[in-house]
Amino acid sequence: MKHVRKAVIPAAGLGTRFLPATKTVPKEMLPIVDRPTLLYIVEEAARAGVEDIILVAGRNKTAIEDFFDCSYELQDKLAKDGKTEWVEMLLGIQNMANVISIRQKQALGLGHAVHCARPIAGDEPFAVLLGDEIMISAPGRRTVTEQLSGVYAATGLSTVAIMEVPEKDVSKYGIVGGAMREDGVIKIETVVEKPSPPQAPSRFALPGRYVFTSAIFQYLEKTKPGKNGEIQLTDAMVELAKNHGLLGAPFEARRYDAGDKFGYLQANIEMGLEHPDVAPRLREYLKSLAQRI
Ligand code: G1P
């Protein structure tokens, strides 16, 4: 069985939820404290052994490619100023993974975006990480992509992350249905994109982390526009489950919905409380603020 060496990161969205900031800055580059959200995602994949990041980007996303490139003038200046730690940090980002970019020329949906990666993914298994969701594993623990790759390595089956959500939230996610094993893994039989609560097959939602075998592509190719007129990844997953098997695995990690203004602020505050440069002051500030509001 092949090791998961490639990861697809769809990044073609217009970022309308963060306008006006995203008029010129790709939403993937908005920082959580001092690191762009995308860096958390690429780091998660790299820690799982992913070597090639396939960025499915739209127009105006060159800032993302530049971010993972060498910034010669900056590195040279920092080196001359004796800031070796900074230079090493920048080199670490530059060498984290090969970033290969392919264009999604029309925003036809997530399923279409993943299908755009086909010429680069080839017949290898690959991970998909949605950039809106930031997953932070406890120190020394496996990243979510690593956890999914582990299930794939043990079973040979495509495996996606699942999490239980309250009934009122099922309409925000793809929801899976199937039989749950004793270890909490679901053998997925159906997937419904953003169902109303009565239509939901369960309360187990897809938080945006997937490991697929290349079999998914033959179904993506045939998938017609579904919910909201978009080519849905979840519709292709139904066929994959039926014909090849698909597992839903619970995971261990803190999760932030950084694609939402509230989730983004939450991530900034909580990551700030762990950042050595600002944590003590932020903690004091939040305590005093809590007494005032
Ligand atoms: C997408 C997927 C959905 C998944 C969600 C996770 O929806 O279509 O199945 O649950 O991401 O964030 P979006 O939020 O992009 O509309």
Side-chain angles (χ1 to χ4, degrees):
M1 197 185 315
K2 287 176 188 157
H3 168 66
V4 179
R5 287 192 317 116
K6 297 185 176 181
V8 175
I9 302 184
L14 296 173
T16 41
R17 283 196 280 179
F18 279 93
L19 279 170
T22 46
K23 183 165 181 255
T24 50
V25 178
K27 71 171 175 179
E28 294 78 11
M29 296 309 289
L30 297 178
I32 308 286
V33 191
D34 52 8
R35 296 151 55 91
T37 53
L38 187 70
L39 183 53
Y40 291 90
I41 311 293
V42 171
E43 207 166 48
E44 178 191 327
R47 278 181 50 198
V50 166
E51 294 160 23
D52 295 342
I53 298 288
I54 309 172
L55 195 70
V56 183
R59 286 178 283 279
N60 302 325
K61 302 279 183 166
T62 46
I64 301 179
E65 289 159 32
D66 292 345
F67 183 78
F68 289 96
D69 193 0
C70 166
S71 38
Y72 178 74
E73 291 83 356
L74 182 61
Q75 279 161 223
D76 188 51
K77 167 92 173 71
L78 291 171
K80 281 185 182 139
D81 292 350
K83 303 217 161 97
T84 23
E85 275 170 42
W86 289 71
V87 175
E88 272 161 29
M89 184 258 286
L90 293 178
L91 287 174
I93 294 171
Q94 179 187 319
N95 298 327
M96 200 170 277
N98 306 313
V99 176
I100 305 161
S101 181
I102 190 157
R103 286 283 171 103
Q104 184 188 18
K105 292 170 191 162
Q106 280 175 290
L108 298 179
L110 178 61
H112 177 257
V114 173
H115 193 242
C116 288
R118 188 176 195 171
I120 307 173
D123 61 1
E124 288 193 38
F126 62 97
V128 177
L129 295 90
L130 302 191
D132 284 349
E133 312 265 348
I134 295 183
M135 308 279 196
I136 307 290
S137 307
R141 303 305 288 257
R142 295 185 306 164
T143 66
V144 176
T145 299
E146 228 171 331
Q147 295 169 41
L148 299 180
S149 300
V151 180
Y152 164 73
T155 60
L157 296 177
S158 297
T159 306
V160 300
I162 51 164
M163 64 176 185
E164 199 166 356
V165 296
E167 195 181 15
K168 67 173 178 43
D169 287 345
V170 291
S171 58
K172 295 185 192 163
Y173 298 97
I175 303 290
V176 304
M180 186 179 277
R181 300 188 326 209
E182 259 176 30
D183 59 359
V185 172
I186 295 182
K187 192 174 174 306
I188 296 176
E189 282 152 21
T190 184
V191 193
V192 185
E193 181 67 18
K194 303 194 179 82
S196 63
Q199 289 168 329
S202 76
R203 286 197 288 106
F204 288 98
L206 301 168
R209 292 294 184 276
Y210 317 78
V211 166
F212 291 119
T213 64
S214 59
I216 190 78
F217 287 127
Q218 59 191 286
Y219 304 112
L220 283 172
E221 190 181 353
K222 290 187 209 123
T223 301
K224 300 265 177 311
K227 186 91 185 181
N228 302 330
E230 295 176 7
I231 297 177
Q232 297 290 352
L233 179 59
T234 36
D235 289 341
M237 284 166 63
V238 174
E239 293 305 311
L240 185 72
K242 222 186 280 171
N243 300 308
H244 302 262
L246 175 65
L247 299 176
F251 59 92
E252 269 179 51
R254 256 153 59 205
R255 167 183 166 268
Y256 301 102
D257 180 4
D260 163 79
K261 286 190 188 81
F262 179 76
Y264 178 74
L265 290 175
Q266 237 179 344
N268 266 288
I269 293 169
E270 292 195 23
M271 300 306 281
L273 286 170
E274 290 173 12
H275 194 299
D277 291 355
V278 290
R281 275 174 62 199
L282 183 60
R283 186 165 297 112
E284 287 313 308
Y285 168 69
L286 289 174
K287 278 188 201 156
S288 77
L289 184 67
Q291 287 168 358
R292 282 189 274 135
I293 54 175

